[in-house]
Amino acid sequence: MCPHTQYPPSTLQAVRCAHIVIMAELVPCNCLAAADASGRMIRHKIFRRALGPNDIHISVTYSGICHSDIHTAKAEWGAKAYPLCVGHEILGRVKAVGAEVSKFKVGEAIGVGCFTDSCRTCEECGEGNEQYCSGPGGNHGTYGSARPESLHPGGVSQGGYASDFVVDENYAIRIPEKMDVAAAAPLLCAGITCFSPFIEHGLKAGQTLGVVGLGGLGHMAVKIGKAMGCEVIVFSRSSSKTEDALRLGATKVVISTDAEAMKAVSRTCHFIYNSIAFAHDVQPYLNVLRTRGTMIMVGGVPQGAMPGGTFAIIPRGLKIAGSCIGGIRETQQMIDFCAEHSILSDIELIPATPEDVDKAWERAINADVKFRFVIDTAKTLTAPDAA
C-alpha cells in the first residue's frame, strides 16, 4: 500500500439518481499536496466523489498557482488538515457527465474557480453572488473546506493540483476553445477578481483607472481595464516595472514614492484598484482619486491602512470598497469577455513535480514571476508510486 494514498473505507459511494439509489465508484485522483504546514509538496493520491446525476468528471490539463494556495497550505489563514491539495484555477476537459447534466458534453473545455458549491437558497446565491453565500457554511471553497463525505471523500475539499476533478455542472465555467491554453487558467481567480468589481462599480470607457500593485492581480487589472476602454495609470514604488506596465497596456507609470509625481496626478482617477496585500498607507492613493471616486481593495491589509481615519474620505465623498472574486454567472461573462478581447495572463509554465512547485512557491513569495505560474498537470503529473 502506497504511504501517500488517502484510502477511503470503501471505493463505492451511494448516489441518488431520480428516485433510485445506486452504488457508484469513487474517482481515483493523483495530485500534488502540501504534506504539512510547511507547505512542502508531495505526490499523493485521493478520491473524488462518485459521479452524481448533475456532476461532471474533469480531466485536469492546467492548474494555476495563486498566492491563496500558499497562504492556505502554510496555515497562515487558519489550521488545515493534511495532506492538502490546493489550486483553484483549474482548466480541463469533460471526461464524463452525470445522467442529468445538460450544460456540458464529453470532450468540451471546462474550468473551475474558487468555489464548487453554495447553499443556492440565500439572497446572495439568488442574485448570482455565490461567492458571498450567507447560507449555512457559506460557499464551498475549492480546497480546504470541511464538508460532508458525500461531497468530498475524507471530509475536506481538495483542489486542482490534480489529475481529476468532480464538480456540479452549475459551478463549472464553459471555456471557449481559443481559451483552452495554460495562460487562461489564472483568469478563474485573478481575472474575475478584477472583472467583478469593475462591473459592480460601473467602470466604463473614457474613465481613468489607477492600478496599485503590478503582480498577478494588477497585471490583469491593466489588461481588462484597457479592454474596457479606460486610461490606465500604474502606480509602482520603483521604475523597474515601467516597461512591463506599458507593454501590458498602461498609459503611464507613476512612481508612488515620488511626491512630486504623485502630486501631478492628484484627483485624476475615477477608480483605484488596490491589490497590495501588506500593511501600507492608502492616503497617497486616495489623493489621486477624483471627488466621489472609489478605491477597490482586493488585497488583505491589516489594520492601520487609514491613519487619517474616516476624515480621509468624508470631505470629498470618496468610497473604499472591498471585493472578493465573483459569482458563477459573472465568471462566465469574464471568460467570454477575455475571449472576445484575446486577454490571457502572462505566465510561466512549470512541470507538476513537488520540486518544481516548491520552487515556484518560493519565487511567488519573493515576487519573482511575471506574472503567474501555471502547472502543466496533464503532461507531467505522475502517481505517487510511479515517481
mmCIF file of all heavy atoms in Angstrom, residues 26-32 45-49 56-61 85 87 90-96 112 142 158-167 377-378 381:
data_model
loop_
_atom_site.group_PDB
_atom_site.id
_atom_site.type_symbol
_atom_site.label_atom_id
_atom_site.label_comp_id
_atom_site.label_asym_id
_atom_site.label_seq_id
_atom_site.Cartn_x
_atom_site.Cartn_y
_atom_site.Cartn_z
ATOM 1 N N LEU A 26 -16.001 5.642 -6.555
ATOM 2 C CA LEU A 26 -15.303 6.900 -6.359
ATOM 3 C C LEU A 26 -14.287 7.077 -7.476
ATOM 4 O O LEU A 26 -13.850 6.107 -8.107
ATOM 5 C CB LEU A 26 -14.588 6.913 -5.011
ATOM 6 C CG LEU A 26 -15.457 6.806 -3.750
ATOM 7 C CD1 LEU A 26 -14.566 6.749 -2.515
ATOM 8 C CD2 LEU A 26 -16.422 7.967 -3.647
ATOM 9 N N VAL A 27 -13.909 8.323 -7.734
ATOM 10 C CA VAL A 27 -12.957 8.636 -8.807
ATOM 11 C C VAL A 27 -11.556 8.762 -8.223
ATOM 12 O O VAL A 27 -11.279 9.682 -7.453
ATOM 13 C CB VAL A 27 -13.349 9.949 -9.519
ATOM 14 C CG1 VAL A 27 -12.317 10.315 -10.577
ATOM 15 C CG2 VAL A 27 -14.737 9.827 -10.141
ATOM 16 N N PRO A 28 -10.634 7.850 -8.579
ATOM 17 C CA PRO A 28 -9.256 7.963 -8.084
ATOM 18 C C PRO A 28 -8.547 9.130 -8.743
ATOM 19 O O PRO A 28 -8.797 9.452 -9.910
ATOM 20 C CB PRO A 28 -8.629 6.625 -8.482
ATOM 21 C CG PRO A 28 -9.424 6.167 -9.666
ATOM 22 C CD PRO A 28 -10.819 6.678 -9.457
ATOM 23 N N CYS A 29 -7.661 9.768 -8.009
ATOM 24 C CA CYS A 29 -7.055 11.008 -8.493
ATOM 25 C C CYS A 29 -5.632 11.154 -7.969
ATOM 26 O O CYS A 29 -5.390 11.101 -6.763
ATOM 27 C CB CYS A 29 -7.921 12.185 -8.012
ATOM 28 S SG CYS A 29 -7.249 13.816 -8.329
ATOM 29 N N ASN A 30 -4.682 11.317 -8.871
ATOM 30 C CA ASN A 30 -3.313 11.648 -8.489
ATOM 31 C C ASN A 30 -3.222 13.154 -8.279
ATOM 32 O O ASN A 30 -3.881 13.927 -8.985
ATOM 33 C CB ASN A 30 -2.328 11.225 -9.570
ATOM 34 C CG ASN A 30 -2.308 9.728 -9.780
ATOM 35 O OD1 ASN A 30 -2.369 8.964 -8.819
ATOM 36 N ND2 ASN A 30 -2.246 9.299 -11.026
ATOM 37 N N CYS A 31 -2.398 13.574 -7.335
ATOM 38 C CA CYS A 31 -2.295 15.013 -7.079
ATOM 39 C C CYS A 31 -0.962 15.352 -6.436
ATOM 40 O O CYS A 31 -0.192 14.474 -6.038
ATOM 41 C CB CYS A 31 -3.445 15.482 -6.184
ATOM 42 S SG CYS A 31 -3.366 14.893 -4.469
ATOM 43 N N LEU A 32 -0.708 16.648 -6.354
ATOM 44 C CA LEU A 32 0.366 17.186 -5.521
ATOM 45 C C LEU A 32 -0.306 17.812 -4.309
ATOM 46 O O LEU A 32 -1.313 18.516 -4.446
ATOM 47 C CB LEU A 32 1.176 18.238 -6.270
ATOM 48 C CG LEU A 32 1.925 17.762 -7.519
ATOM 49 C CD1 LEU A 32 2.634 18.937 -8.177
ATOM 50 C CD2 LEU A 32 2.924 16.671 -7.178
ATOM 51 N N LYS A 45 -2.292 10.566 -3.529
ATOM 52 C CA LYS A 45 -3.464 10.047 -4.224
ATOM 53 C C LYS A 45 -4.688 10.221 -3.349
ATOM 54 O O LYS A 45 -4.659 9.912 -2.149
ATOM 55 C CB LYS A 45 -3.292 8.567 -4.580
ATOM 56 C CG LYS A 45 -4.437 8.018 -5.444
ATOM 57 C CD LYS A 45 -4.132 6.610 -5.928
ATOM 58 C CE LYS A 45 -5.248 6.102 -6.851
ATOM 59 N NZ LYS A 45 -4.944 4.749 -7.387
ATOM 60 N N ILE A 46 -5.760 10.743 -3.934
ATOM 61 C CA ILE A 46 -7.020 10.960 -3.230
ATOM 62 C C ILE A 46 -8.151 10.361 -4.056
ATOM 63 O O ILE A 46 -7.927 9.811 -5.146
ATOM 64 C CB ILE A 46 -7.285 12.464 -2.993
ATOM 65 C CG1 ILE A 46 -7.314 13.221 -4.344
ATOM 66 C CG2 ILE A 46 -6.257 13.060 -2.044
ATOM 67 C CD1 ILE A 46 -7.687 14.687 -4.215
ATOM 68 N N PHE A 47 -9.368 10.494 -3.545
ATOM 69 C CA PHE A 47 -10.542 10.045 -4.285
ATOM 70 C C PHE A 47 -11.547 11.187 -4.347
ATOM 71 O O PHE A 47 -11.808 11.861 -3.336
ATOM 72 C CB PHE A 47 -11.178 8.822 -3.617
ATOM 73 C CG PHE A 47 -10.368 7.565 -3.778
ATOM 74 C CD1 PHE A 47 -9.326 7.298 -2.912
ATOM 75 C CD2 PHE A 47 -10.640 6.667 -4.801
ATOM 76 C CE1 PHE A 47 -8.557 6.147 -3.054
ATOM 77 C CE2 PHE A 47 -9.880 5.516 -4.960
ATOM 78 C CZ PHE A 47 -8.836 5.251 -4.080
ATOM 79 N N ARG A 48 -12.083 11.395 -5.517
ATOM 80 C CA ARG A 48 -13.200 12.329 -5.679
ATOM 81 C C ARG A 48 -14.505 11.553 -5.499
ATOM 82 O O ARG A 48 -14.540 10.330 -5.636
ATOM 83 C CB ARG A 48 -13.188 12.944 -7.087
ATOM 84 C CG ARG A 48 -11.883 13.622 -7.484
ATOM 85 C CD ARG A 48 -11.601 14.870 -6.688
ATOM 86 N NE ARG A 48 -10.441 15.594 -7.227
ATOM 87 C CZ ARG A 48 -9.920 16.677 -6.681
ATOM 88 N NH1 ARG A 48 -10.445 17.182 -5.578
ATOM 89 N NH2 ARG A 48 -8.863 17.281 -7.219
ATOM 90 N N ARG A 49 -15.586 12.280 -5.223
ATOM 91 C CA ARG A 49 -16.869 11.612 -5.052
ATOM 92 C C ARG A 49 -17.299 10.914 -6.341
ATOM 93 O O ARG A 49 -16.892 11.290 -7.448
ATOM 94 C CB ARG A 49 -17.940 12.612 -4.618
ATOM 95 C CG ARG A 49 -18.331 13.651 -5.668
ATOM 96 C CD ARG A 49 -19.520 14.478 -5.166
ATOM 97 N NE ARG A 49 -19.937 15.500 -6.122
ATOM 98 C CZ ARG A 49 -19.630 16.783 -6.044
ATOM 99 N NH1 ARG A 49 -18.855 17.213 -5.057
ATOM 100 N NH2 ARG A 49 -20.079 17.640 -6.941
ATOM 101 N N ILE A 56 -19.938 16.545 -13.169
ATOM 102 C CA ILE A 56 -19.030 16.443 -14.309
ATOM 103 C C ILE A 56 -17.690 15.931 -13.811
ATOM 104 O O ILE A 56 -17.169 16.424 -12.805
ATOM 105 C CB ILE A 56 -18.829 17.821 -14.978
ATOM 106 C CG1 ILE A 56 -20.158 18.370 -15.492
ATOM 107 C CG2 ILE A 56 -17.823 17.730 -16.127
ATOM 108 C CD1 ILE A 56 -20.096 19.836 -15.861
ATOM 109 N N HIS A 57 -17.150 14.946 -14.506
ATOM 110 C CA HIS A 57 -15.808 14.443 -14.216
ATOM 111 C C HIS A 57 -14.864 15.140 -15.185
ATOM 112 O O HIS A 57 -15.003 15.008 -16.404
ATOM 113 C CB HIS A 57 -15.764 12.918 -14.401
ATOM 114 C CG HIS A 57 -14.405 12.317 -14.188
ATOM 115 N ND1 HIS A 57 -14.142 10.983 -14.374
ATOM 116 C CD2 HIS A 57 -13.212 12.873 -13.807
ATOM 117 C CE1 HIS A 57 -12.868 10.731 -14.126
ATOM 118 N NE2 HIS A 57 -12.287 11.864 -13.787
ATOM 119 N N ILE A 58 -13.908 15.887 -14.640
ATOM 120 C CA ILE A 58 -12.978 16.679 -15.441
ATOM 121 C C ILE A 58 -11.599 16.038 -15.423
ATOM 122 O O ILE A 58 -11.087 15.686 -14.356
ATOM 123 C CB ILE A 58 -12.880 18.120 -14.897
ATOM 124 C CG1 ILE A 58 -14.253 18.808 -14.930
ATOM 125 C CG2 ILE A 58 -11.852 18.938 -15.690
ATOM 126 C CD1 ILE A 58 -14.280 20.138 -14.193
ATOM 127 N N SER A 59 -11.013 15.924 -16.583
ATOM 128 C CA SER A 59 -9.606 15.561 -16.687
ATOM 129 C C SER A 59 -8.829 16.868 -16.714
ATOM 130 O O SER A 59 -8.930 17.654 -17.659
ATOM 131 C CB SER A 59 -9.353 14.748 -17.962
ATOM 132 O OG SER A 59 -7.988 14.401 -18.069
ATOM 133 N N VAL A 60 -8.071 17.134 -15.663
ATOM 134 C CA VAL A 60 -7.407 18.433 -15.491
ATOM 135 C C VAL A 60 -6.192 18.528 -16.417
ATOM 136 O O VAL A 60 -5.369 17.621 -16.480
ATOM 137 C CB VAL A 60 -6.972 18.644 -14.030
ATOM 138 C CG1 VAL A 60 -6.248 19.981 -13.861
ATOM 139 C CG2 VAL A 60 -8.187 18.571 -13.098
ATOM 140 N N THR A 61 -6.099 19.653 -17.124
ATOM 141 C CA THR A 61 -4.947 19.886 -18.010
ATOM 142 C C THR A 61 -3.968 20.900 -17.418
ATOM 143 O O THR A 61 -2.753 20.703 -17.464
ATOM 144 C CB THR A 61 -5.413 20.377 -19.391
ATOM 145 O OG1 THR A 61 -6.318 21.475 -19.226
ATOM 146 C CG2 THR A 61 -6.113 19.268 -20.151
ATOM 147 N N CYS A 85 -4.368 19.127 -0.975
ATOM 148 C CA CYS A 85 -4.170 19.528 -2.369
ATOM 149 C C CYS A 85 -4.866 20.863 -2.581
ATOM 150 O O CYS A 85 -6.061 20.989 -2.316
ATOM 151 C CB CYS A 85 -4.745 18.464 -3.303
ATOM 152 S SG CYS A 85 -4.691 18.908 -5.065
ATOM 153 N N GLY A 87 -5.197 24.679 -5.109
ATOM 154 C CA GLY A 87 -5.360 25.058 -6.513
ATOM 155 C C GLY A 87 -6.808 25.320 -6.875
ATOM 156 O O GLY A 87 -7.652 24.424 -6.794
ATOM 157 N N ILE A 90 -8.503 26.076 -12.367
ATOM 158 C CA ILE A 90 -8.476 24.744 -12.971
ATOM 159 C C ILE A 90 -9.042 24.761 -14.387
ATOM 160 O O ILE A 90 -10.183 25.167 -14.607
ATOM 161 C CB ILE A 90 -9.292 23.753 -12.113
ATOM 162 C CG1 ILE A 90 -8.798 23.769 -10.659
ATOM 163 C CG2 ILE A 90 -9.231 22.346 -12.698
ATOM 164 C CD1 ILE A 90 -9.751 23.107 -9.680
ATOM 165 N N LEU A 91 -8.242 24.295 -15.329
ATOM 166 C CA LEU A 91 -8.703 24.092 -16.703
ATOM 167 C C LEU A 91 -8.625 22.610 -17.029
ATOM 168 O O LEU A 91 -7.704 21.918 -16.589
ATOM 169 C CB LEU A 91 -7.834 24.862 -17.700
ATOM 170 C CG LEU A 91 -8.037 26.360 -17.851
ATOM 171 C CD1 LEU A 91 -7.155 26.888 -18.979
ATOM 172 C CD2 LEU A 91 -9.491 26.710 -18.129
ATOM 173 N N GLY A 92 -9.577 22.128 -17.827
ATOM 174 C CA GLY A 92 -9.551 20.729 -18.210
ATOM 175 C C GLY A 92 -10.539 20.417 -19.312
ATOM 176 O O GLY A 92 -11.066 21.309 -19.980
ATOM 177 N N ARG A 93 -10.767 19.131 -19.499
ATOM 178 C CA ARG A 93 -11.719 18.627 -20.486
ATOM 179 C C ARG A 93 -12.736 17.727 -19.789
ATOM 180 O O ARG A 93 -12.403 17.006 -18.851
ATOM 181 C CB ARG A 93 -10.995 17.815 -21.565
ATOM 182 C CG ARG A 93 -10.137 18.659 -22.500
ATOM 183 C CD ARG A 93 -10.953 19.249 -23.624
ATOM 184 N NE ARG A 93 -10.193 20.227 -24.419
ATOM 185 C CZ ARG A 93 -10.680 20.840 -25.489
ATOM 186 N NH1 ARG A 93 -11.919 20.581 -25.898
ATOM 187 N NH2 ARG A 93 -9.958 21.718 -26.149
ATOM 188 N N VAL A 94 -13.970 17.776 -20.247
ATOM 189 C CA VAL A 94 -15.010 16.933 -19.679
ATOM 190 C C VAL A 94 -14.733 15.478 -20.051
ATOM 191 O O VAL A 94 -14.672 15.133 -21.229
ATOM 192 C CB VAL A 94 -16.404 17.354 -20.177
ATOM 193 C CG1 VAL A 94 -17.468 16.417 -19.605
ATOM 194 C CG2 VAL A 94 -16.705 18.804 -19.806
ATOM 195 N N LYS A 95 -14.562 14.643 -19.038
ATOM 196 C CA LYS A 95 -14.269 13.231 -19.254
ATOM 197 C C LYS A 95 -15.540 12.384 -19.209
ATOM 198 O O LYS A 95 -15.676 11.398 -19.931
ATOM 199 C CB LYS A 95 -13.276 12.744 -18.200
ATOM 200 C CG LYS A 95 -12.748 11.346 -18.422
ATOM 201 C CD LYS A 95 -11.633 11.029 -17.435
ATOM 202 C CE LYS A 95 -11.036 9.653 -17.696
ATOM 203 N NZ LYS A 95 -9.907 9.375 -16.754
ATOM 204 N N ALA A 96 -16.471 12.766 -18.331
ATOM 205 C CA ALA A 96 -17.747 12.051 -18.209
ATOM 206 C C ALA A 96 -18.757 12.986 -17.568
ATOM 207 O O ALA A 96 -18.390 13.940 -16.877
ATOM 208 C CB ALA A 96 -17.574 10.787 -17.367
ATOM 209 N N VAL A 112 -12.909 25.475 -13.532
ATOM 210 C CA VAL A 112 -13.430 25.557 -12.162
ATOM 211 C C VAL A 112 -12.606 26.602 -11.430
ATOM 212 O O VAL A 112 -11.374 26.623 -11.525
ATOM 213 C CB VAL A 112 -13.336 24.207 -11.428
ATOM 214 C CG1 VAL A 112 -13.838 24.348 -9.990
ATOM 215 C CG2 VAL A 112 -14.132 23.137 -12.158
ATOM 216 N N THR A 142 -12.909 25.617 -3.037
ATOM 217 C CA THR A 142 -12.414 24.536 -3.886
ATOM 218 C C THR A 142 -11.441 23.635 -3.148
ATOM 219 O O THR A 142 -11.320 22.453 -3.466
ATOM 220 C CB THR A 142 -11.767 25.131 -5.151
ATOM 221 O OG1 THR A 142 -12.748 25.925 -5.834
ATOM 222 C CG2 THR A 142 -11.258 24.052 -6.095
ATOM 223 N N GLN A 158 -10.591 19.055 -1.854
ATOM 224 C CA GLN A 158 -9.217 19.006 -2.359
ATOM 225 C C GLN A 158 -9.176 19.703 -3.716
ATOM 226 O O GLN A 158 -10.069 19.535 -4.543
ATOM 227 C CB GLN A 158 -8.746 17.555 -2.493
ATOM 228 C CG GLN A 158 -8.795 16.762 -1.186
ATOM 229 C CD GLN A 158 -7.673 17.114 -0.229
ATOM 230 O OE1 GLN A 158 -6.684 17.738 -0.600
ATOM 231 N NE2 GLN A 158 -7.804 16.701 1.033
ATOM 232 N N GLY A 159 -8.125 20.481 -3.953
ATOM 233 C CA GLY A 159 -8.077 21.378 -5.099
ATOM 234 C C GLY A 159 -7.567 20.796 -6.395
ATOM 235 O O GLY A 159 -7.622 19.586 -6.639
ATOM 236 N N GLY A 160 -7.030 21.682 -7.234
ATOM 237 C CA GLY A 160 -6.791 21.368 -8.637
ATOM 238 C C GLY A 160 -5.388 21.018 -9.055
ATOM 239 O O GLY A 160 -5.136 20.824 -10.243
ATOM 240 N N TYR A 161 -4.423 20.915 -8.122
ATOM 241 C CA TYR A 161 -3.103 20.419 -8.492
ATOM 242 C C TYR A 161 -3.243 18.905 -8.661
ATOM 243 O O TYR A 161 -2.645 18.108 -7.932
ATOM 244 C CB TYR A 161 -2.067 20.686 -7.408
ATOM 245 C CG TYR A 161 -1.690 22.129 -7.112
ATOM 246 C CD1 TYR A 161 -2.392 23.208 -7.638
ATOM 247 C CD2 TYR A 161 -0.609 22.409 -6.285
ATOM 248 C CE1 TYR A 161 -2.024 24.519 -7.330
ATOM 249 C CE2 TYR A 161 -0.231 23.709 -5.973
ATOM 250 C CZ TYR A 161 -0.956 24.760 -6.492
ATOM 251 O OH TYR A 161 -0.588 26.053 -6.175
ATOM 252 N N ALA A 162 -4.042 18.487 -9.600
ATOM 253 C CA ALA A 162 -4.527 17.111 -9.624
ATOM 254 C C ALA A 162 -4.825 16.632 -11.037
ATOM 255 O O ALA A 162 -4.918 17.428 -11.976
ATOM 256 C CB ALA A 162 -5.792 17.008 -8.763
ATOM 257 N N SER A 163 -5.013 15.336 -11.155
ATOM 258 C CA SER A 163 -5.311 14.741 -12.464
ATOM 259 C C SER A 163 -6.787 14.806 -12.802
ATOM 260 O O SER A 163 -7.159 14.871 -13.982
ATOM 261 C CB SER A 163 -4.842 13.284 -12.489
ATOM 262 O OG SER A 163 -5.511 12.523 -11.480
ATOM 263 N N ASP A 164 -7.646 14.768 -11.776
ATOM 264 C CA ASP A 164 -9.091 14.678 -11.997
ATOM 265 C C ASP A 164 -9.837 15.572 -11.010
ATOM 266 O O ASP A 164 -9.341 15.864 -9.919
ATOM 267 C CB ASP A 164 -9.565 13.231 -11.804
ATOM 268 C CG ASP A 164 -8.935 12.264 -12.786
ATOM 269 O OD1 ASP A 164 -7.783 11.820 -12.528
ATOM 270 O OD2 ASP A 164 -9.567 11.962 -13.806
ATOM 271 N N PHE A 165 -11.037 15.964 -11.419
ATOM 272 C CA PHE A 165 -11.870 16.809 -10.563
ATOM 273 C C PHE A 165 -13.330 16.470 -10.840
ATOM 274 O O PHE A 165 -13.692 16.160 -11.983
ATOM 275 C CB PHE A 165 -11.613 18.293 -10.850
ATOM 276 C CG PHE A 165 -11.967 19.203 -9.718
ATOM 277 C CD1 PHE A 165 -11.057 19.450 -8.702
ATOM 278 C CD2 PHE A 165 -13.213 19.799 -9.643
ATOM 279 C CE1 PHE A 165 -11.376 20.282 -7.634
ATOM 280 C CE2 PHE A 165 -13.547 20.631 -8.588
ATOM 281 C CZ PHE A 165 -12.629 20.877 -7.568
ATOM 282 N N VAL A 166 -14.150 16.525 -9.812
ATOM 283 C CA VAL A 166 -15.595 16.296 -9.963
ATOM 284 C C VAL A 166 -16.326 17.503 -9.399
ATOM 285 O O VAL A 166 -16.056 17.936 -8.274
ATOM 286 C CB VAL A 166 -16.045 15.009 -9.241
ATOM 287 C CG1 VAL A 166 -17.576 14.887 -9.271
ATOM 288 C CG2 VAL A 166 -15.418 13.784 -9.893
ATOM 289 N N VAL A 167 -17.244 18.052 -10.199
ATOM 290 C CA VAL A 167 -17.959 19.259 -9.784
ATOM 291 C C VAL A 167 -19.373 19.250 -10.348
ATOM 292 O O VAL A 167 -19.631 18.682 -11.420
ATOM 293 C CB VAL A 167 -17.206 20.527 -10.260
ATOM 294 C CG1 VAL A 167 -17.235 20.652 -11.772
ATOM 295 C CG2 VAL A 167 -17.747 21.795 -9.606
ATOM 296 N N THR A 377 -0.356 20.139 -15.653
ATOM 297 C CA THR A 377 -0.823 18.950 -14.942
ATOM 298 C C THR A 377 -0.943 17.717 -15.829
ATOM 299 O O THR A 377 -0.442 16.643 -15.500
ATOM 300 C CB THR A 377 -2.188 19.251 -14.288
ATOM 301 O OG1 THR A 377 -2.105 20.500 -13.587
ATOM 302 C CG2 THR A 377 -2.579 18.173 -13.321
ATOM 303 N N ALA A 378 -1.633 17.854 -16.951
ATOM 304 C CA ALA A 378 -1.933 16.689 -17.784
ATOM 305 C C ALA A 378 -0.677 15.990 -18.306
ATOM 306 O O ALA A 378 -0.623 14.767 -18.366
ATOM 307 C CB ALA A 378 -2.842 17.086 -18.947
ATOM 308 N N LEU A 381 2.066 15.223 -14.468
ATOM 309 C CA LEU A 381 1.710 14.704 -13.142
ATOM 310 C C LEU A 381 1.759 13.179 -13.133
ATOM 311 O O LEU A 381 1.168 12.538 -14.004
ATOM 312 C CB LEU A 381 0.322 15.181 -12.728
ATOM 313 C CG LEU A 381 -0.168 14.753 -11.338
ATOM 314 C CD1 LEU A 381 0.730 15.338 -10.255
ATOM 315 C CD2 LEU A 381 -1.615 15.194 -11.114
#
